[in-house]
Amino acid sequence: MQYHLGMADTQPLVAALDQAGYRLTETRRAVAELIAEREGHFTAADLVGEARDRRLGIGRATIFRALDLFADLNVLERLDLPTGEHAYVPCEPAHHHHVVCSRCGRTTEAQDHGLQVVVDDIARRTGFAIETHRLELYGICPACRATPAR
Amino acid sequence: MQYHLGMADTQPLVAALDQAGYRLTETRRAVAELIAEREGHFTAADLVGEARDRRLGIGRATIFRALDLFADLNVLERLDLPTGEHAYVPCEPAHHHHVVCSRCGRTTEAQDHGLQVVVDDIARRTGFAIETHRLELYGICPACRATPAR
DNA sequence: ATTTTTGCAAATCATTTGCATATAT
DNA sequence: ATATATGCAAATGATTTGCAAAAAT
C-alpha cells in the first residue's frame, strides 16, 4: 500500500520504533506523519477521522495500537485534560512536564527546576516513598495572549 | 425507599450538597455513604457494583450524576491514574494535590509549599500565562512500606 | 520461511440521555 | 404544588479483541 503524505517531522517517532526493534511499516510511518502534522494536542478520534477523510485505509484499531506503541516508547504522551478527554502530544523521551494552552491546545515541554525540593518535602510530610510525579500546567500560550478574544 | 447503611463520615459530602442548595435525597445520602466507606480511590464502576451487590436499587445513571455533583462541589476529586483509569477520592474543597499509593490506592492530600515558585519559573520560561496546575504524586504509603511484599 | 502487523467486524466498557415516575421542599 | 431527582432502558463513545490475510524481516 502507498500513502500520499507531506513532509512533517516524523523522524523522532520513526527513529524510536526503529531503535526499539519494531517493524517500520508503511502504516506506522503514515500514522507518524499524521501525528507530526498536528498542531497542539489531538485525540485518537481526530487521527481516525483524518485517516478516514484522506482515504488512507488505516483501521481504527491500528491507530490505537500505534498510539499505544508511541506512548510506550515515550515519544508521545497521553494527557488527561481537565475535561476528561484523552489527548496526545508528541514529546521528548526524557522526563518533563507539559504546559497546555487552554485556548488552542498547543503544548510546550517544561523542565521541573526546583520541583524536586517540593516533592521531597511532600514525601517527608506524608511518609510516602514517592516514585513518580506528574505536573500539568494549563494557561494561555504567548500566541493566544497576543490575540484579542478568540 | 429505605437504605440500610453504616456510619462512615458522610458529613462533608452531605453538608456540601446542603450548602449548595441541592436536595438531600435518600439516594444521595446513600451514595455519600458508599463513598465515605471506601478506603483509597474507587471507580464509578466500583460504586455501581457495590450498590448492586447490596441491592440498594440505585441506578447507574444516578451514581454517575452524584459523582459529577460531588466533584463539582469540590468534595470529591476525579483522578486520572497513570493506567488511564478514572478514579475518585473524597477530599477537602481547597486547592491541594494528591499523593496516591500505587500499591493500595489510598491517597493523602498535600499542600504545594514552594510549588508556586516552580510554576512562576515555568511561566517565565515558556511565556504562558498559567491559570491552573495539577500535581499528582505516586508512591508507596507508610502502611504499605511496612508490609513485606504484598 | 517466519514473525509481526494490519484491517475488519464484533465485543466490551464507560458514560450519557430521554422520559415517565417518584420525592424533597 | 412544583421543581428536582431517580430508575430504566437505550443511545453514544471510546477502546479492545479475535482472527485470517498481508507485509516486513
Side-chain angles (χ1 to χ4, degrees), chain B residues 5 8 22 29 35 40 55 74 93 95 106 109 127 129-130 135 141:
Chain B
L5 296 160
Y22 288 96
R29 286 174 194 279
I35 292 174
R55 314 274 144 79
N74 294 306
H95 173 76
R106 238 164 292 219
E109 299 184 20
I130 304 296
L135 174 64
C141 75

Side-chain angles (χ1 to χ4, degrees), chain A residues 53-124:
Chain A
D53 291 351
R54 299 203 205 168
R55 315 274 144 76
L56 297 180
I58 306 175
R60 197 203 338 280
T62 303
I63 289 185
F64 275 93
R65 288 188 280 234
L67 290 173
D68 278 359
L69 189 48
F70 288 127
D72 279 350
L73 298 174
N74 293 306
V75 283
L76 186 67
E77 181 162 334
R78 176 167 165 160
L79 299 177
D80 301 296
L81 302 183
T83 62
E85 269 191 319
H86 288 150
Y88 294 86
V89 209
C91 65
E92 294 298 313
H95 174 75
H96 62 270
H97 301 288
H98 289 280
V99 188
V100 182
C101 179
S102 22
R103 197 172 292 170
C104 72
R106 237 164 292 218
T107 63
T108 295
E109 298 184 22
Q111 296 313 307
D112 52 1
H113 294 107
L115 184 57
Q116 195 53 51
V117 178
V118 177
V119 173
D120 291 345
D121 183 57
I122 291 175
R124 186 163 352 98

